[in-house]
Amino acid sequence: MDAPRARPLEALPKAHLHLHFTGSMRHATLLELAARDGIRLPDALVHEWPPRLAAADEKGWFRFQRLYDVARSVLRTPDDVRRLVREAAEDDVRDGGRWLEIQVDPSGYGARFGGITAFTDLVLDAVREASESTGLGMALVIAANRTRHPMDARTLARLAGQYAGRGVVGFGLSNDERRGSTPDFGPAFAIARRAGLALVPHGGELLGPESVVTVLEHLGADRLGHGVRSADDPRVLDRVVAAGVALEVCPTSNVSLGVFGDLTSVPLPTLLEAGATVALGADDPLLFGSRLAGQYATMRAAHDLTDADLAELARMSFRASRMPEWRRTECLAEVDAWLAG
Ligand SMILES: [Zn+2]
């Protein structure tokens, strides 16, 4: 057996396909903006950061959402939005990121920023600026919220469709998987599909394989946010693999929310052995305390991954992305160079 050479993971080029806008905020920025506006933060976001979470029950998820709402409340000006996006890009670049698809639910910000269209324009402008200043390739995923009415999701799908080819590459569905009825969101996903967007709903995180099947059947997912619980049922996992659906696996998030007891229980080897395409993601670094390279580092340590395994994970992140083909070719060559180096 070759001993792993442990090449630096920050130097491994990768694409980041599962990062939420609000949850990408740096902890220091949260503290600074809250102090500026005299917003009192709960201890879990100050002295006890990163917070201890567990979403195994609805009470735990409610607590997670409460912290999320507090984080959202510190973003008050267009410059705050630009800063958040720029810092998310800088942090990904530091972690070896070459491409980022950042996910936002505009309805959480519409009231403060002149409506969901104005807010989307602002975020897209911030994305262009951040991409130019950092060199990171970036695109936006618009996500609907499954705890709101499916009509709201349709409105967001139409909005996302208007920006297809102009910075928006995907349409998602987030929040507590146990709430709302997945089939009710089918029409919204049909709108997004017709617009040519990647369909990237969350599923198979808090709920098991049956939720994966429902999301595949009713929403027609191209990628699954998490989808990690497909590993609970070999037949479902085979179906995911046969359909070519990529899984956005977020190990630190899974453990923080109690989906798995520890990092070694995150079933990455099971997914890979079955032939699944996996793209590791950080989900919400603000609440889980770990960014992009951290996901590769924890999986390397938990599952004794070789550098060849890690390079393949990075390649899969590029293949599952909606990045331009010329950029993908370039990045795949960079992964080969990392492994050869
Ligand atoms: Zn997520």
Side-chain angles (χ1 to χ4, degrees):
M1 287 285 284
D2 288 346
R5 281 179 52 196
R7 292 168 181 80
L9 289 175
E10 290 75 15
L12 172 63
K14 37 187 110 56
H16 199 179
L17 309 184
H18 199 113
L19 180 71
H20 294 274
F21 172 82
T22 312
S24 76
M25 196 188 308
R26 285 182 190 163
H27 185 231
T29 300
L30 172 77
L31 299 184
E32 191 188 316
L33 295 181
R36 178 193 69 187
D37 293 327
I39 297 166
R40 213 188 101 74
L41 296 173
D43 262 356
L45 289 177
V46 186
H47 308 294
E48 293 158 23
W49 186 86
R52 291 160 64 94
L53 301 159
D57 56 25
E58 297 218 14
K59 205 173 136 220
W61 185 267
F62 182 73
R63 184 162 176 269
F64 170 68
Q65 284 298 321
R66 279 260 309 130
L67 295 178
Y68 223 96
D69 292 342
V70 172
R72 197 181 288 120
S73 75
V74 308
L75 296 172
R76 304 239 156 146
T77 72
D79 277 347
D80 296 346
V81 169
R82 292 179 196 281
R83 173 178 174 174
L84 178 143
V85 174
R86 188 184 66 247
E87 290 178 349
E90 288 169 356
D91 290 346
D92 263 23
V93 167
R94 193 169 306 126
D95 276 6
R98 295 290 191 277
W99 176 258
L100 167 61
E101 291 176 16
I102 191 165
Q103 184 165 147
V104 70
D105 171 8
S107 50
Y109 288 97
R112 191 173 300 151
F113 289 93
I116 55 173
T117 303
F119 178 71
T120 303
D121 282 331
L122 170 62
V123 174
L124 279 169
D125 200 44
V127 162
R128 271 187 294 272
E129 259 177 28
S131 182
E132 273 168 30
S133 69
T134 63
L136 180 71
M138 293 178 79
L140 195 65
V141 169
I142 302 265
N145 180 338
R146 60 183 302 141
T147 70
R148 298 171 71 118
H149 197 279
M151 286 297 282
D152 292 345
R154 285 198 229 182
T155 303
L156 286 171
R158 275 187 216 101
L159 176 77
Q162 283 162 17
Y163 291 94
R166 295 191 293 137
V168 174
V169 294
F171 183 67
L173 183 64
S174 57
N175 210 308
D176 192 341
E177 222 182 327
R178 295 163 295 205
R179 307 253 320 263
S181 162
T182 299
D184 292 350
F185 293 95
F189 277 78
I191 292 168
R193 182 182 308 114
R194 283 196 296 274
L197 297 171
L199 309 182
V200 297
H202 285 60
E205 175 196 17
L206 303 171
L207 294 181
E210 66 289 349
S211 138
V212 170
V213 172
T214 312
V215 168
L216 293 184
E217 282 181 358
H218 293 276
L219 307 183
D222 297 303
R223 299 196 309 243
L224 276 174
H226 301 285
V228 68
R229 298 281 303 280
S230 311
D232 295 4
D233 184 337
R235 283 165 307 178
V236 172
L237 181 52
D238 284 347
R239 192 167 162 181
V240 166
V241 173
V245 172
L247 306 177
E248 302 160 2
V249 175
C250 307
T252 317
S253 163
N254 289 163
V255 174
S256 297
L257 291 175
V259 176
F260 299 109
D262 54 43
L263 287 161
T264 56
S265 306
V266 176
L268 180 64
T270 308
L271 301 175
L272 295 179
E273 276 155 29
T277 297
V278 172
L280 296 181
D283 209 2
D284 300 296
L286 177 65
L287 297 178
F288 308 135
S290 174
R291 306 198 80 98
L292 180 58
Q295 312 310 314
Y296 287 77
T298 52
M299 288 298 90
R300 170 191 257 173
H303 296 299
D304 294 324
L305 299 184
T306 64
D307 285 358
D309 297 332
L310 292 156
E312 189 52 24
L313 279 169
R315 286 187 199 105
M316 287 193 279
S317 72
F318 291 122
R319 288 189 203 117
S321 78
R322 280 287 178 121
M323 71 199 303
E325 213 48 59
W326 63 267
R327 203 186 264 275
R328 189 185 339 260
T329 307
E330 236 173 61
C331 290
L332 290 171
E334 279 188 74
V335 173
D336 292 343
W338 178 83
L339 193 58

